[in-house]
């Protein structure tokens, strides 16, 4: 996932010294000096150390220091109000013991999205809990301006709540809240609310003239309002606030048994005004998440916790008013440390849809799957009978234009620039999208008795688009910015569009369409088998090439060939043996793929989990388990994943948390658990066979 702009960049240097055949430094060639990052980059926590909180309408990232360092309001794709994730001066909201930055322990309360941080000081212990508050549905007298899905019993209360409890000794606590509205282009002005020191409101000051803003991307009031209108933030606490410039500050000494709270709110809903109200709101939020996770169906297995945390993360990345699933909660976290492979992932990709539906249905989370399918049907135009060209990606409110720009005043995470907002890939030609959509429709409908009439015209239209385009080159699943090519995986997904279309036609009683589309599917299959294989019988990245590509694991996972076909097996094993670094899978080798960018990238965790599922499919269950165990060992301390892993250090790279990674984790683990249970009973059968 990337953008379309092609800006020359400097090739990344590894800084690795030359060595002789025994691995010792080669005295004939001086070693290159190891690059030392600028001093200020040391202030950035590792990406994997952030905690993710969500109320399904907003989300935030919390650093181990107790600082909220990324939060965009009122929607997750709106401008940030706390952005120190991308520039240390771009706003934060911190609560922690004075002078202490490293906690004793952090965890999510089991089955919830409530973060608990335990702090130890030289004089005592304190526990801080953080949550984005959920409560009963609150639009009781008028309809919501943003909700387009069926309302639930629960709703976001638009409050970031933080409770503090001293459990031993004496601890001096400190609070600092420093908003930096509109991606740090507008400063904050604080004013007291009421007659005491317990509530204050922050509003955005006019943006300086020397910081031009990109054109407004979203202005439809029915889809969340003008996204560049900064909200008013109200900070309510039983601590005494002092207002110092753009900061709101508080400090107090707690003794054993003392309890405090701070609530940051951004709507007309009343925040908690006492600790008891805050504790009740925290309890309600925990109850919401535990009731939700109990709906799911999770195997009784040691990896159950990974599945549940992934499910909770996917729920948190869902924008409840529309059902959209964001690729990630962040923008511009680098795929290469200090590099330029930095993209905005706060949007929905159509290609995620099949993996999302498979994972959600598999775990029994049917309502979320149905809402996501409704969103996909809506943006594709099928819900109202209109015809709209299918796009690679959309805004979470259904926006079709996602113009890309850069925020040149931000320094970037550890100096990685540019910082991008928007994503120019939205209008690329990527021919896998029709297969992704048709596979999603088939997965959604195959357990139902009939196809709704409003969907049939969409099916006909999208199959027709695949027929019209399958012979043309495109930019492929990885959105490369080099010259378009005949990417083999794109052809496979065009076959998927025709194959699933034919199945759906037969379900709908349209036998003539079914026969016609099956014939074209056979034609596409023949073309791929003629032009997409090398002399070894291994599928190649593009017609006439020799490079491997991890997307060719879809040959097995999308049932293009049965898993016992020698060509399918050879492709999976070639990727496992030749497209890996320390056992982790690359998308492709950057030195042999014209992707329009310089520099290196990490291994794609999505692809490594795809390989687990593909190894299961071809019967290599023991090898799949070893790889899965290794991948699970790379999970963050809170069981979250970014997009990529550095194969040498295990460092997380790219946007965080990454929905596609968690979707592929669910797919891989469920494949493996089912396969091992079938092997144990002597009845193993690949999950996608037949």
């Amino acid at each position: 996932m990337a953008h379309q702009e092609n800006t020359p960049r400097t090739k990344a240097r590894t800084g690795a010294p030359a060595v002789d055949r025994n691995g010792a430094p080669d005295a004939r060639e001086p070693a290159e000096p190891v690059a030392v990052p600028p001093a200020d980059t040391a202030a950035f926590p590792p990406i994997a150390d952030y905690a993710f909180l969500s109320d399904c309408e907003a989300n935030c990232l919390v650093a181990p220091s107790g600082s909220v360092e990324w939060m965009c309001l009122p929607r997750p794709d709106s401008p940030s109000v706390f952005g120190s994730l991308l520039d240390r001066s771009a706003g934060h909201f911190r609560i922690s013991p004075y002078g202490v930055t490293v906690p004793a322990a952090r965890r999510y309360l089991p089955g919830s999205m409530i973060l608990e941080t335990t702090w130890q000081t030289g004089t005592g212990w304190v526990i801080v809990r953080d949550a984005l508050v959920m409560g009963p549905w609150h639009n009781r007298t008028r309809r919501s301006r943003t909700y387009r899905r069926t309302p639930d019993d629960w709703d976001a209360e638009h409050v970031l709540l933080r409770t503090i409890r001293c459990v031993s000794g004496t601890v001096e606590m400190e609070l600092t809240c420093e908003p930096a509205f509109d991606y740090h282009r507008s400063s904050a002005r604080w004013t007291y609310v009421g007659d005491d020191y317990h509530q204050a409101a922050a509003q955005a000051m006019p943006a300086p003239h020397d910081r031009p803003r990109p054109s407004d991307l979203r202005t439809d009031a029915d889809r969340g309002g003008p996204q560049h209108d900064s909200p008013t933030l109200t900070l309510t606490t039983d601590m005494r606030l002092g207002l110092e410039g753009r900061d709101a500050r508080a400090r107090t000494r707690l003794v054993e048994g003392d309890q405090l709270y701070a609530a940051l709110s951004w709507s007309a809903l009343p925040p908690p005004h006492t600790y008891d109200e805050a504790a009740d709101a925290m309890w309600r939020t925990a109850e919401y998440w535990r009731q939700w996770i109990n709906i799911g169906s999770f195997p009784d297995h040691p990896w159950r916790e990974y599945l549940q945390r992934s499910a909770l993360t996917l729920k948190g990345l869902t924008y409840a008013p529309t059902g959209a699933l964001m690729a990630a909660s962040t923008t511009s976290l680098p795929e290469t440390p200090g590099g330029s492979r930095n993209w905005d992932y706060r949007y929905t990709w159509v290609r995620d849809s099949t993996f999302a539906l498979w994972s959600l249905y598999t775990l029994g989370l049917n309502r979320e799957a149905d809402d996501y399918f409704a969103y996909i049907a809506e943006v594709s135009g099928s819900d109202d009978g209109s015809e709209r060209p299918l796009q690679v990606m959309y805004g979470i409110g259904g926006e079709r234009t996602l113009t890309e720009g850069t925020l040149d005043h931000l320094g970037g995470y550890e100096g990685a620039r540019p910082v991008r907002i928007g994503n120019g890939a939205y209008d690329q030609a990527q021919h896998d999208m029709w297969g992704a959509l048709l596979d999603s429709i088939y997965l959604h409908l195959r357990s139902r008795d009939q196809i709704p009439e409003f969907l049939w015209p969409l099916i006909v239209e999208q199959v027709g688009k695949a027929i019209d385009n399958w012979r043309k080159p495109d930019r492929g699943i990885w959105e490369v910015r080099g010259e378009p090519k005949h990417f083999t995986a794109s052809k496979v997904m065009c076959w998927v569009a025709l194959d699933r279309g034919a199945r759906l036609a037969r379900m709908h009683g349209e036998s003539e369409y079914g026969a016609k589309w099956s014939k074209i599917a056979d034609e596409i299959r023949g073309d791929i088998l003629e032009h997409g294989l090398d002399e070894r019988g291994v599928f190649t990245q593009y017609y006439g090439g020799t490079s491997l590509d991890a997307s060719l694991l879809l040959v097995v996972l999308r049932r293009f060939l049965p898993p016992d076909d020698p060509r399918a097996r050879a492709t999976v094993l070639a990727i496992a043996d030749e497209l890996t670094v320390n056992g982790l899978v690359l998308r492709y080798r950057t030195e042999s793929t014209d992707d329009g960018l310089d520099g290196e990238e990490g291994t794609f965790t999505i692809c490594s989990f795809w390989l687990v599922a593909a190894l299961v499919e071809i019967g290599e269950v023991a090898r799949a388990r070893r790889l899965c165990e290794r991948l699970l060992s790379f999970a963050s301390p809170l069981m979250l994943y970014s997009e990529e892993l550095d194969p040498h250090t295990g460092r997380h790279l790219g946007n965080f948390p990454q929905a596609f990674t968690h979707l592929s984790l669910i797919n891989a683990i469920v494949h493996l658990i089912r396969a091992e249970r079938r092997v144990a009973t002597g009845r193993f059968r690949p999950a996608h066979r037949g």
Side-chain angles (χ1 to χ4, degrees):
M1 302 174 187
H3 85 320
Q4 201 164 356
E5 182 182 60
N6 185 2
T7 306
R9 301 293 172 195
T10 303
K11 184 74 173 179
R13 293 173 58 188
T14 63
V19 296
D20 64 17
R21 70 182 62 188
N22 297 316
D26 192 339
R28 296 169 299 177
E29 182 176 348
E32 293 185 29
V34 177
V36 178
D40 60 350
T41 65
F44 288 87
I47 291 171
D49 283 357
Y50 283 97
F52 172 65
L53 302 180
S54 174
D55 61 10
C56 302
E57 289 194 34
N59 57 60
C60 67
L61 296 184
V62 187
S65 64
S67 178
V68 176
E69 297 192 348
W70 181 250
M71 191 171 191
C72 301
L73 296 173
R75 295 191 344 183
D77 59 344
S78 299
S80 64
V81 296
F82 302 123
S84 56
L85 175 73
L86 298 177
D87 190 300
R88 301 317 280 170
S89 65
H92 70 278
F93 176 24
R94 183 168 183 254
I95 293 180
S96 65
Y98 178 77
V100 181
T101 59
V102 179
R106 298 170 88 214
R107 64 163 186 156
Y108 285 112
L109 296 188
S112 81
M113 290 283 281
I114 297 177
L115 175 68
E116 182 181 86
T117 304
T118 301
W119 297 91
Q120 179 189 11
T121 73
T123 57
W125 291 74
V126 70
I127 293 175
V128 177
R129 288 183 176 175
D130 299 327
L132 284 161
V133 176
M134 302 293 294
W137 180 261
H138 61 265
N139 286 286
R140 298 185 179 277
T141 59
R142 57 184 302 180
R143 291 187 300 275
S144 167
R145 289 191 307 114
T146 59
Y147 248 83
R148 299 206 297 278
R149 300 283 80 83
T150 303
D152 201 346
D153 295 335
W154 298 82
D155 195 13
E157 295 200 350
H158 311 129
V159 175
L160 172 59
L161 179 61
R162 317 190 74 175
T163 62
I164 310 154
R165 181 166 59 93
C166 184
V167 295
S168 176
T170 301
V171 179
E172 186 172 345
M173 295 295 296
E174 183 178 49
L175 175 155
T176 60
C177 186
E178 182 184 308
F181 292 101
D182 193 16
Y183 300 116
H184 193 28
R185 290 180 294 206
S186 298
S187 187
R189 178 178 61 195
W190 284 97
T191 56
Y192 284 112
V193 177
D195 297 327
D196 55 22
Y197 290 98
H198 297 302
Q199 192 173 62
Q203 292 180 308
M205 300 286 285
H209 294 296
D210 60 346
R211 288 184 180 172
R213 292 173 17 170
S215 59
D216 202 342
L217 306 183
R218 296 170 293 276
T219 58
D220 184 349
D222 292 332
R223 294 185 172 179
Q227 296 301 300
H228 288 303
D229 284 356
S230 297
T232 297
L233 300 180
T234 301
L235 180 59
T236 308
T237 178
D238 46 9
M239 303 172 73
R240 290 177 295 278
L241 292 171
L243 307 183
E244 303 176 11
R246 70 178 195 177
D247 294 5
R249 295 179 175 271
R251 57 180 178 267
T252 190
R253 179 168 295 175
L254 280 68
V255 299
E256 183 175 332
D258 283 350
Q259 300 176 130
L260 298 171
Y261 81 98
L264 189 72
S265 57
W266 53 93
S267 78
L269 294 175
H273 284 278
T274 65
Y275 180 84
D276 288 342
E277 290 181 4
D280 184 62
M282 195 69 77
W283 179 87
R284 289 198 313 270
T285 303
E287 187 67 9
Y288 163 77
W289 288 110
R290 287 169 180 160
Q291 286 184 19
W292 181 82
I293 203 70
N294 281 343
I295 294 172
S297 176
F298 298 91
D300 183 18
H301 191 275
W303 293 341
R304 172 190 180 107
E305 190 174 0
Y306 291 95
L307 292 173
Q308 288 194 335
R309 183 50 51 192
S310 289
L312 288 162
T313 302
L314 293 172
K315 178 67 171 175
L317 288 169
T318 299
Y319 184 60
T322 63
L325 176 65
M326 291 191 302
S329 67
T330 58
T331 180
S332 298
L333 290 181
E335 297 174 8
T336 304
S340 62
R341 295 172 182 260
N342 317 319
W343 320 113
D344 192 347
Y345 276 14
R346 297 172 296 165
Y347 307 111
T348 291
W349 270 256
V350 171
R351 73 169 54 93
D352 293 6
S353 57
T354 303
F355 290 97
L357 293 176
W358 194 94
S359 299
L360 294 170
Y361 284 135
T362 297
L363 297 179
L365 303 172
N366 291 16
R367 173 170 179 144
E368 283 65 32
D370 291 346
D371 282 352
Y372 183 52
F373 181 81
Y375 165 82
I376 293 294
E378 180 180 276
V379 297
S380 64
S382 64
D383 63 328
D384 59 6
S386 62
E387 292 188 8
R388 305 171 195 164
L390 187 65
Q391 294 186 181
V392 175
M393 56 190 291
Y394 297 89
I396 59 174
E399 296 81 11
R400 303 176 65 84
T401 301
L402 307 174
T403 306
E404 185 169 299
T406 61
L407 301 175
D408 297 329
H409 63 285
L410 296 181
Y413 177 85
E414 292 190 343
R417 301 180 71 187
V419 173
R420 293 184 172 96
I421 54 173
N423 196 309
Y426 75 91
D427 60 357
Q428 278 191 354
Q430 297 175 25
H431 294 169
D432 67 301
M433 60 185 180
W434 299 295
L437 180 63
L438 269 297
D439 205 17
S440 298
I441 295 173
Y442 176 70
L443 184 63
H444 179 70
L445 296 178
R446 68 180 182 178
S447 62
R448 291 160 170 80
D449 295 333
Q450 60 184 9
I451 296 175
E453 282 299 326
F454 76 87
L455 271 181
W456 178 245
L458 173 71
I459 294 169
V460 174
E461 179 188 0
Q462 300 307 328
V463 172
K465 294 293 185 183
I467 294 171
D468 293 341
N469 288 279
W470 77 267
R471 293 186 180 276
K472 301 176 183 178
D474 73 333
R475 295 186 182 274
I477 187 173
W478 305 126
E479 302 171 357
V480 300
R481 282 154 300 284
E483 287 298 314
K485 296 183 183 296
H486 292 278
F487 287 102
T488 305
S490 295
K491 310 290 187 185
V492 169
M493 292 306 293
C494 286
W495 172 86
V496 169
L498 272 295
D499 177 78
R500 305 308 192 262
R503 294 169 185 256
L504 290 165
R506 290 190 287 270
M507 287 172 56
H508 199 53
E510 297 283 353
S511 57
E512 187 173 335
Y513 275 107
K516 174 185 174 182
W517 292 344
S518 290
K519 183 177 179 180
I520 299 173
D522 290 340
E523 181 184 356
I524 299 173
R525 184 200 295 271
D527 189 77
I528 295 169
L529 296 179
E530 180 180 355
H531 301 290
L533 292 160
D534 66 13
E535 59 186 13
R536 301 180 298 169
V538 171
F539 286 96
T540 59
Q541 184 181 52
Y542 54 86
Y543 283 10
T546 58
S547 300
L548 292 171
D549 192 302
S551 63
L552 296 168
L553 294 168
L554 299 178
V555 166
V556 172
L557 299 179
R558 287 289 181 266
R559 304 193 299 277
F560 175 76
L561 290 178
D564 56 0
D565 187 291
R567 294 161 295 189
R569 180 178 178 83
T571 300
V572 173
L573 294 178
I575 290 170
D577 295 336
E578 302 169 27
L579 196 61
T580 55
V581 180
N582 289 338
L584 303 179
V585 183
L586 299 164
R587 293 190 300 176
Y588 48 76
R589 300 245 176 223
T590 55
E591 63 270 20
S592 62
T593 298
D594 178 18
D595 66 2
L597 291 172
D598 288 328
E600 300 174 350
E601 63 180 22
T603 57
F604 263 56
T605 317
I606 305 162
C607 301
S608 295
F609 279 119
W610 280 356
L611 180 57
V612 171
L615 287 169
V616 170
E617 291 285 326
I618 67 171
E620 296 284 341
V621 178
R623 185 171 182 177
R625 169 172 265 276
R626 289 195 298 272
L627 177 56
C628 193
E629 288 174 338
R630 187 149 187 262
L631 289 168
L632 295 181
S633 75
F634 287 120
S636 82
L638 295 171
M639 292 190 174
L640 302 176
Y641 287 87
S642 64
E643 183 177 28
E644 301 182 22
L645 291 169
D646 183 315
H648 305 291
T649 65
R651 178 182 180 180
H652 287 229
L653 302 169
N655 285 308
F656 181 85
Q658 178 79 7
F660 214 167
T661 305
H662 286 276
L663 290 168
S664 58
L665 178 152
I666 293 170
N667 194 336
I669 287 181
V670 172
H671 264 69
L672 190 52
I673 290 174
R674 289 177 176 177
E676 289 184 333
R677 289 178 176 175
R678 287 166 181 156
V679 168
T681 59
R683 297 196 307 273
F684 171 66
R685 184 165 175 254
H688 282 173
R689 194 176 218 170

PDB file of all heavy atoms in Angstrom, residues 4 100 213 215 312 419 441 478 485 487 553 558:
ATOM      1  N   GLN A   4       1.261   7.322  -5.279  1.00  0.00           N
ATOM      2  CA  GLN A   4       1.606   7.297  -6.678  1.00  0.00           C
ATOM      3  C   GLN A   4       2.748   8.234  -7.027  1.00  0.00           C
ATOM      4  O   GLN A   4       3.292   8.181  -8.105  1.00  0.00           O
ATOM      5  CB  GLN A   4       0.358   7.670  -7.486  1.00  0.00           C
ATOM      6  CG  GLN A   4       0.437   7.196  -8.933  1.00  0.00           C
ATOM      7  CD  GLN A   4      -0.907   7.216  -9.566  1.00  0.00           C
ATOM      8  OE1 GLN A   4      -1.906   7.497  -8.934  1.00  0.00           O
ATOM      9  NE2 GLN A   4      -0.952   6.900 -10.836  1.00  0.00           N
ATOM     10  N   VAL A 100       9.664   9.826  36.464  1.00  0.00           N
ATOM     11  CA  VAL A 100       9.771   8.414  36.099  1.00  0.00           C
ATOM     12  C   VAL A 100       9.175   8.237  34.704  1.00  0.00           C
ATOM     13  O   VAL A 100       8.072   8.707  34.427  1.00  0.00           O
ATOM     14  CB  VAL A 100       9.022   7.516  37.108  1.00  0.00           C
ATOM     15  CG1 VAL A 100       9.169   6.047  36.732  1.00  0.00           C
ATOM     16  CG2 VAL A 100       9.540   7.754  38.523  1.00  0.00           C
ATOM     17  N   ARG A 213      -1.934  24.954   4.319  1.00  0.00           N
ATOM     18  CA  ARG A 213      -2.619  23.681   4.508  1.00  0.00           C
ATOM     19  C   ARG A 213      -3.017  23.118   3.157  1.00  0.00           C
ATOM     20  O   ARG A 213      -3.387  23.861   2.259  1.00  0.00           O
ATOM     21  CB  ARG A 213      -3.867  23.871   5.356  1.00  0.00           C
ATOM     22  CG  ARG A 213      -3.547  24.225   6.766  1.00  0.00           C
ATOM     23  CD  ARG A 213      -4.740  24.576   7.606  1.00  0.00           C
ATOM     24  NE  ARG A 213      -6.033  24.183   7.098  1.00  0.00           N
ATOM     25  CZ  ARG A 213      -7.134  24.263   7.833  1.00  0.00           C
ATOM     26  NH1 ARG A 213      -7.055  24.681   9.067  1.00  0.00           N
ATOM     27  NH2 ARG A 213      -8.294  23.930   7.341  1.00  0.00           N
ATOM     28  N   SER A 215      -5.491  21.355   0.457  1.00  0.00           N
ATOM     29  CA  SER A 215      -6.918  21.586   0.262  1.00  0.00           C
ATOM     30  C   SER A 215      -7.723  20.611   1.096  1.00  0.00           C
ATOM     31  O   SER A 215      -7.303  19.484   1.339  1.00  0.00           O
ATOM     32  CB  SER A 215      -7.277  21.407  -1.216  1.00  0.00           C
ATOM     33  OG  SER A 215      -6.931  20.106  -1.643  1.00  0.00           O
ATOM     34  N   LEU A 312      -9.868  -7.982  18.925  1.00  0.00           N
ATOM     35  CA  LEU A 312     -10.102  -6.695  19.583  1.00  0.00           C
ATOM     36  C   LEU A 312      -9.457  -5.549  18.802  1.00  0.00           C
ATOM     37  O   LEU A 312     -10.035  -4.461  18.660  1.00  0.00           O
ATOM     38  CB  LEU A 312      -9.560  -6.726  21.012  1.00  0.00           C
ATOM     39  CG  LEU A 312     -10.362  -7.571  22.012  1.00  0.00           C
ATOM     40  CD1 LEU A 312      -9.517  -7.893  23.239  1.00  0.00           C
ATOM     41  CD2 LEU A 312     -11.646  -6.860  22.423  1.00  0.00           C
ATOM     42  N   VAL A 419       6.441  13.318   5.876  1.00  0.00           N
ATOM     43  CA  VAL A 419       5.210  12.898   6.556  1.00  0.00           C
ATOM     44  C   VAL A 419       4.067  13.150   5.577  1.00  0.00           C
ATOM     45  O   VAL A 419       3.859  14.269   5.132  1.00  0.00           O
ATOM     46  CB  VAL A 419       5.005  13.682   7.862  1.00  0.00           C
ATOM     47  CG1 VAL A 419       3.645  13.356   8.475  1.00  0.00           C
ATOM     48  CG2 VAL A 419       6.131  13.368   8.839  1.00  0.00           C
ATOM     49  N   ILE A 441     -17.962 -11.030  -1.947  1.00  0.00           N
ATOM     50  CA  ILE A 441     -19.403 -11.255  -2.131  1.00  0.00           C
ATOM     51  C   ILE A 441     -19.716 -12.741  -2.037  1.00  0.00           C
ATOM     52  O   ILE A 441     -20.690 -13.144  -1.380  1.00  0.00           O
ATOM     53  CB  ILE A 441     -19.855 -10.681  -3.484  1.00  0.00           C
ATOM     54  CG1 ILE A 441     -19.700  -9.152  -3.495  1.00  0.00           C
ATOM     55  CG2 ILE A 441     -21.304 -11.065  -3.781  1.00  0.00           C
ATOM     56  CD1 ILE A 441     -19.966  -8.523  -4.835  1.00  0.00           C
ATOM     57  N   TRP A 478       1.030  -4.625  -4.842  1.00  0.00           N
ATOM     58  CA  TRP A 478       1.893  -3.828  -3.965  1.00  0.00           C
ATOM     59  C   TRP A 478       1.977  -2.373  -4.400  1.00  0.00           C
ATOM     60  O   TRP A 478       2.770  -1.611  -3.859  1.00  0.00           O
ATOM     61  CB  TRP A 478       3.297  -4.436  -3.898  1.00  0.00           C
ATOM     62  CG  TRP A 478       3.328  -5.871  -3.494  1.00  0.00           C
ATOM     63  CD1 TRP A 478       3.913  -6.906  -4.167  1.00  0.00           C
ATOM     64  CD2 TRP A 478       2.769  -6.459  -2.307  1.00  0.00           C
ATOM     65  NE1 TRP A 478       3.749  -8.083  -3.495  1.00  0.00           N
ATOM     66  CE2 TRP A 478       3.040  -7.844  -2.348  1.00  0.00           C
ATOM     67  CE3 TRP A 478       2.049  -5.949  -1.224  1.00  0.00           C
ATOM     68  CZ2 TRP A 478       2.635  -8.714  -1.344  1.00  0.00           C
ATOM     69  CZ3 TRP A 478       1.631  -6.825  -0.225  1.00  0.00           C
ATOM     70  CH2 TRP A 478       1.932  -8.180  -0.290  1.00  0.00           C
ATOM     71  N   LYS A 485       3.162  -3.624 -15.397  1.00  0.00           N
ATOM     72  CA  LYS A 485       3.563  -4.916 -15.939  1.00  0.00           C
ATOM     73  C   LYS A 485       2.383  -5.890 -15.868  1.00  0.00           C
ATOM     74  O   LYS A 485       1.370  -5.607 -15.226  1.00  0.00           O
ATOM     75  CB  LYS A 485       4.756  -5.494 -15.155  1.00  0.00           C
ATOM     76  CG  LYS A 485       6.039  -4.675 -15.241  1.00  0.00           C
ATOM     77  CD  LYS A 485       7.168  -5.356 -14.492  1.00  0.00           C
ATOM     78  CE  LYS A 485       8.441  -4.508 -14.504  1.00  0.00           C
ATOM     79  NZ  LYS A 485       8.972  -4.340 -15.872  1.00  0.00           N
ATOM     80  N   PHE A 487       1.470  -8.408 -14.040  1.00  0.00           N
ATOM     81  CA  PHE A 487       1.733  -9.095 -12.781  1.00  0.00           C
ATOM     82  C   PHE A 487       0.887 -10.363 -12.690  1.00  0.00           C
ATOM     83  O   PHE A 487      -0.331 -10.339 -12.890  1.00  0.00           O
ATOM     84  CB  PHE A 487       1.442  -8.176 -11.604  1.00  0.00           C
ATOM     85  CG  PHE A 487       2.468  -7.096 -11.412  1.00  0.00           C
ATOM     86  CD1 PHE A 487       2.226  -5.795 -11.828  1.00  0.00           C
ATOM     87  CD2 PHE A 487       3.695  -7.384 -10.827  1.00  0.00           C
ATOM     88  CE1 PHE A 487       3.174  -4.799 -11.657  1.00  0.00           C
ATOM     89  CE2 PHE A 487       4.654  -6.397 -10.645  1.00  0.00           C
ATOM     90  CZ  PHE A 487       4.395  -5.107 -11.069  1.00  0.00           C
ATOM     91  N   LEU A 553       1.581 -16.559  -3.244  1.00  0.00           N
ATOM     92  CA  LEU A 553       0.988 -17.501  -2.294  1.00  0.00           C
ATOM     93  C   LEU A 553      -0.527 -17.556  -2.468  1.00  0.00           C
ATOM     94  O   LEU A 553      -1.172 -18.529  -2.056  1.00  0.00           O
ATOM     95  CB  LEU A 553       1.346 -17.094  -0.863  1.00  0.00           C
ATOM     96  CG  LEU A 553       2.838 -17.185  -0.497  1.00  0.00           C
ATOM     97  CD1 LEU A 553       3.105 -16.489   0.826  1.00  0.00           C
ATOM     98  CD2 LEU A 553       3.288 -18.638  -0.449  1.00  0.00           C
ATOM     99  N   ARG A 558      -6.176 -18.690  -2.760  1.00  0.00           N
ATOM    100  CA  ARG A 558      -7.393 -18.333  -3.500  1.00  0.00           C
ATOM    101  C   ARG A 558      -7.894 -19.473  -4.372  1.00  0.00           C
ATOM    102  O   ARG A 558      -8.746 -19.292  -5.223  1.00  0.00           O
ATOM    103  CB  ARG A 558      -7.142 -17.089  -4.362  1.00  0.00           C
ATOM    104  CG  ARG A 558      -7.036 -15.801  -3.564  1.00  0.00           C
ATOM    105  CD  ARG A 558      -8.406 -15.404  -3.008  1.00  0.00           C
ATOM    106  NE  ARG A 558      -8.326 -14.163  -2.257  1.00  0.00           N
ATOM    107  CZ  ARG A 558      -8.153 -14.092  -0.945  1.00  0.00           C
ATOM    108  NH1 ARG A 558      -8.013 -15.200  -0.242  1.00  0.00           N
ATOM    109  NH2 ARG A 558      -8.108 -12.927  -0.330  1.00  0.00           N
TER     110      ARG A 558
END
